[in-house]
Each structure stands twice: as structure tokens, then as C-alpha cells.
Amino acid sequence: MQLETASGQAFGSGTVVLITLNSPREKFWGAVAEITVAGVAVRGIDLNSFDDCARLLRAGELFTPGLVFFPMHRVERMEADARSGDIPSLGERFAEKAGVDLAAFLGGRPQPETAR
């Protein structure tokens, strides 16, 4: 899912991705802010907190995704978060569970009362 127009790159700014990291092993889901030779900046959440974050937002709690930088030596894999046939993307699942606009959430903008 693309949140804003990319600059022709496969993983341009705003592309929703799932990043697998090593040392320690973890997964992070969010929107690409910037990719450089030094690393990847992403606004999102640790995949372990995916369901908890969605529940908090659904309950009307405020939650802003973090803007984090991962040095390239930690990035093992980065894949676009996309629907696969009938299987919804993580972004689609999150928006449905949380009741929020995904672009606004991953853009770091506060959620309006009507979204909660």
C-alpha cells in the first residue's frame, strides 16, 4: 500500500512495509520515511504490539507510531505490505481492527474523534 507518491523507487517514502531485523531478531511494521545507505527510517510499530495498538485505538486511546531508524547492518529483509489474493495486508487488517485511517495513523497525524 502506498500512502503518498513515491519518487519512482520500489520502496519510496510512504510505502507500507514489514521489516525483519537481526541482532536482536524482531519485526517492525510501518511506512518508509527514508532509505539511505546508512539505514531505513520508518514510522510504525513493533509487530509484537500490533494487536494491542489496534485495541487501544479502537477503545479511543491516543497512540502515535514511533519514527525509528534502523541501521542497514540490522536490516535482514524488507517487504511491501500488500494483499495476497483474499488475504488482506497487515495495513488493511490494522485499519479495520483499529477503526482508523491508515494514512493518517502512519503519517503520525492525530486521529479525529470520529475515527475512534
Side-chain angles (χ1 to χ4, degrees), residues 47-65:
L47 196 58
N48 289 326
S49 63
F50 186 86
D51 290 325
D52 291 335
C53 177
R55 275 194 291 276
L56 283 172
L57 289 167
R58 176 62 77 181
E61 299 293 325
L62 292 177
F63 184 92
T64 303

Side-chain angles (χ1 to χ4, degrees), residues 2-86:
Q2 184 73 24
L3 296 180
E4 53 190 71
T5 304
S7 59
Q9 300 172 348
F11 291 99
S13 178
T15 302
V16 179
V17 296
L18 179 62
I19 300 177
T20 302
L21 303 157
N22 58 40
S23 299
R25 179 109 170 138
E26 59 185 320
K27 291 190 177 187
F28 198 85
W29 171 78
V32 171
E34 183 177 24
I35 299 177
T36 67
V37 294
V40 181
V42 181
R43 181 176 302 280
I45 58 176
D46 184 289
L47 196 58
N48 289 326
S49 63
F50 186 86
D51 290 325
D52 291 335
C53 177
R55 275 194 291 276
L56 283 172
L57 289 167
R58 176 62 77 181
E61 299 293 325
L62 292 177
F63 184 92
T64 303
L67 179 60
V68 297
F69 176 82
F70 298 114
M72 205 53 86
H73 73 272
R74 286 207 55 216
V75 177
E76 184 176 306
R77 175 184 169 123
M78 183 167 72
E79 58 188 286
D81 179 25
R83 172 179 278 277
S84 178
D86 290 338

